[in-house]
Amino acid sequence: MELKNDLILRAARGEKTERTPVWLMRQAGRILPEYRAVRNSLSGFIELVKNPDLAAEVTIQPVDILGVDAAIIFSDILVIPEAMGLPYEMIEKKGPWFPNTIKSEADLKNIRIADSSSDLGYVIDAIKVTKRELAGRVPLIGFAGAPWTIFCYMVEGHGSKTFSNARKMLYTQPALAEKLMQMITDSTITYLKAQIEAGADIVQVFDSWAGILPADQYEQFSMKYIRQICSAITEVPVTAFAKGAYFARKSMATLDCETIGLDWNMDITETRELIGPNKTLQGNLDPCALYGSNAEVEAATKKMLDAFGPDRHIANLGHGVYPDIDPEKVKVFVNTVKEYSAR
Ligand SMILES: Cc1c2[nH]c(c1CCC(=O)O)Cc1[nH]c(c(CCC(=O)O)c1C)Cc1[nH]c(c(CCC(=O)O)c1C)Cc1[nH]c(c(C)c1CCC(=O)O)C2
């Protein structure tokens, strides 16, 4: 199916575009009353993730309602641990919870490299339904968590400010950590390839907990595996987003990927210098800027666009949109990008 709007794909490849493309991390979700209505018709988040027709519906909602230039498949990064044999629960107002975690070498016996066709068939089906229903309107983004971030949940068992149990393993059982990280990496590569095969036009790797590691450990325990993923995915453009990894930007410049995501703490000009001209940058408006007035959102968005310049930029926030943001403010952000960058 020919894409009618392929702006993000062209921007990712470094081709000239009529204007800067825009989408938002976490655009499919709680900011939209239309999402909450679908979500409340089921018993929970995981039921929605595992229902391909409804997952497709909430994937497409932000395209219709917010006017973004891409859809991102409605799922979660935690489907990988589950497919490896470590199921999760999503506890209302608290977040993910793993009844079992990885603590020792013996625990590896209970997990396996995920088989995308059998264990993750529901995501693959959701992608197929979404592609059919999008009918080429905008590209579909596939995604996975980076091995380090997935490792954090598999070892810690839940969200944390420090992930000190996960970080402890890097010091006390580094060989076990690396074995687990490699299993996650192998699972992720086949999973992303299955997403692409089903129709994902571009894929993003989310390293949400990059910022809690020291630079040397980040190279050893995270970049090493992100590098493997980037090199293995040759079919479509890849975006690497490592939140808080300002110390790793020079190293990220050498990844075999098209786009690097910036969080809102990263200076745009400095990052462009560190990454060089051969990659597209994605980001990076402060998610809290959307709490401002319409005029303030507009001004902040224009300032961001001026700093990135017209080429090799995909506009986004510096992290996922917060659940209590007014969708009208998101529309101001999206429309400002579209109008101000058009030339
Ligand atoms: C760390 C992480 C997770 N999940 C994800 C990350 C990486 C990105 C980031 O750093 O934000 C990625 C993710 N999660 C979700 C998407 C869907 C697509 C999108 O719109 O971006 C994506 C890309 C849906 C979701 N994932 C989750 C929800 C909310 C669940 C609900 O509907 O109640 C949604 C829409 C739940 C989730 N899932 C996760 C947490 C910590 C939580 C609870 C806290 C929270 O809600 O943000 C793990």
Side-chain angles (χ1 to χ4, degrees), residues 288-333:
C288 286
L290 299 184
Y291 290 117
S293 67
N294 286 358
E296 285 161 342
V297 172
E298 198 179 312
T301 305
K302 287 179 177 171
K303 185 172 169 227
M304 173 195 77
L305 290 167
D306 286 338
F308 276 106
D311 298 321
R312 294 218 85 150
H313 178 219
I314 297 171
N316 205 312
L317 304 181
H319 198 196
V321 61
Y322 296 139
D324 62 340
I325 291 290
D326 178 356
E328 291 307 316
K329 295 290 163 53
V330 176
K331 287 187 200 167
V332 174
F333 170 66

Side-chain angles (χ1 to χ4, degrees), residues 28-192:
R30 294 158 303 174
I31 58 160
L32 296 177
E34 293 84 351
Y35 165 81
R36 290 197 297 270
V38 175
R39 164 87 160 70
N40 292 339
S41 72
L42 298 171
S43 55
F45 170 77
I46 296 176
E47 287 68 26
L48 179 50
V49 165
K50 291 190 173 172
N51 183 318
D53 290 328
L54 293 179
E57 183 178 333
V58 299
T59 298
I60 297 170
Q61 283 174 348
V63 178
D64 293 330
I65 300 164
L66 306 172
V68 286
D69 291 308
I72 178 163
I73 189 66
F74 186 82
S75 186
D76 203 87
I77 61 168
L78 303 176
V79 300
I80 280 285
E82 177 169 88
M84 293 175 73
L86 224 53
Y88 69 105
E89 295 161 17
M90 197 59 80
I91 298 174
E92 204 67 42
K93 296 200 164 67
K94 285 192 105 167
W97 177 262
F98 287 82
N100 306 304
T101 57
I102 305 295
K103 294 181 204 67
S104 67
E105 194 81 28
D107 296 323
L108 290 188
K109 290 195 185 69
N110 303 322
I111 63 166
R112 55 184 183 275
I113 292 169
D115 175 344
S116 298
S117 52
S118 59
D119 303 321
L120 292 158
Y122 58 91
V123 183
I124 303 311
D125 289 343
I127 290 176
K128 289 179 184 162
V129 176
T130 304
K131 282 296 282 184
R132 194 168 66 229
E133 292 181 356
L134 275 176
R137 274 194 290 158
V138 292
L140 179 62
I141 304 168
F143 71 89
W148 160 245
T149 288
I150 298 298
F151 173 93
C152 280
Y153 288 101
M154 292 178 80
V155 175
E156 198 83 26
H158 49 80
S160 162
K161 280 201 176 73
T162 59
F163 283 96
S164 55
N165 289 309
R167 291 191 57 207
K168 178 179 172 187
M169 192 183 279
L170 306 185
Y171 288 94
T172 58
Q173 303 182 83
L176 168 60
E178 287 186 309
K179 250 189 230 173
L180 177 54
M181 228 83 84
Q182 190 62 55
M183 289 178 77
I184 299 168
T185 303
D186 294 345
S187 302
T188 303
I189 290 172
T190 35
Y191 177 47
L192 288 173

Side-chain angles (χ1 to χ4, degrees), residues 234-247:
T234 52
E235 302 85 350
V236 300
V238 178
T239 301
F241 172 61
K243 187 173 177 299
Y246 58 90
F247 49 80

